[in-house]
Amino acid sequence: MPLLRWRLGAIFGHRVVLIEHFGRRTGVRRQTAVEVIGRDRRSGTITVASGYGGRADWYRNLRANPRATVVDGARRRTVEAFVVSPDDAAGTMVGYAQQHPRIAPRVARMLGYEVDGTDEDYAALGRALRFLELAPVRRLT
């Protein structure tokens, strides 16, 4: 995580971002490194997943206060978090598995899931996890 704080995240090939958010109860600034599951280059929106579902503190914090900052490589920007529907999450997870066929099964195992490598299995995994889209906040000029 220090590499991300120092804005050296590009070492990871933009596969990991640092989310700076605020505790839902304490209001204290928190930082969490997460893997990017999807990316829309046109809008700048990044999709991330909570491997521990709705129990993860960072996920719950962003649900309570969706405004956050993302450090993506050397870039830092303000984002707003939106919940991804289970069907959209399924499609995102299938896309991730197709793009990263070697890493996706390991990520699934690390999260406690076994997948058989089919699109249907990755879609089921996507529906089981919780996804957020981190959309850049556009500044009015």
Side-chain angles (χ1 to χ4, degrees), residues 1-65:
M1 194 151 67
L3 291 175
L4 295 172
R5 279 190 217 120
W6 298 330
R7 296 188 184 185
L8 297 173
I11 292 170
F12 299 107
H14 295 282
R15 291 194 35 223
V16 177
V17 295
L18 181 70
I19 304 172
E20 297 175 348
H21 52 95
F22 293 92
R24 65 193 172 283
R25 291 188 211 150
T26 64
V28 174
R29 187 171 150 245
R30 306 285 185 200
Q31 295 181 325
T32 304
V34 295
E35 183 167 3
V36 173
I37 302 298
R39 188 183 290 270
D40 182 334
R41 298 217 183 267
R42 277 184 287 153
S43 70
T45 299
I46 296 169
T47 304
V48 297
S50 173
Y52 300 102
R55 298 184 321 256
D57 281 330
W58 68 268
Y59 179 85
R60 292 166 51 186
N61 290 343
L62 285 170
R63 293 289 314 270
N65 183 5

Side-chain angles (χ1 to χ4, degrees), residues 38-111:
R39 188 183 290 270
D40 182 334
R41 298 217 183 267
R42 277 184 287 153
S43 70
T45 299
I46 296 169
T47 304
V48 297
S50 173
Y52 300 102
R55 298 184 321 256
D57 281 330
W58 68 268
Y59 179 85
R60 292 166 51 186
N61 290 343
L62 285 170
R63 293 289 314 270
N65 183 5
R67 187 68 55 107
T69 301
V70 168
V71 178
D72 183 11
R75 208 167 155 198
R76 178 185 188 89
R77 57 196 161 140
T78 302
V79 297
E80 189 161 347
F82 297 94
V83 174
V84 177
S85 74
D87 287 336
D88 287 344
T92 299
M93 193 67 215
V94 169
Y96 176 83
Q98 290 172 349
Q99 197 169 11
H100 305 284
R102 291 184 179 182
I103 296 170
R106 288 187 227 154
V107 168
R109 257 191 314 281
M110 185 176 69
L111 298 174

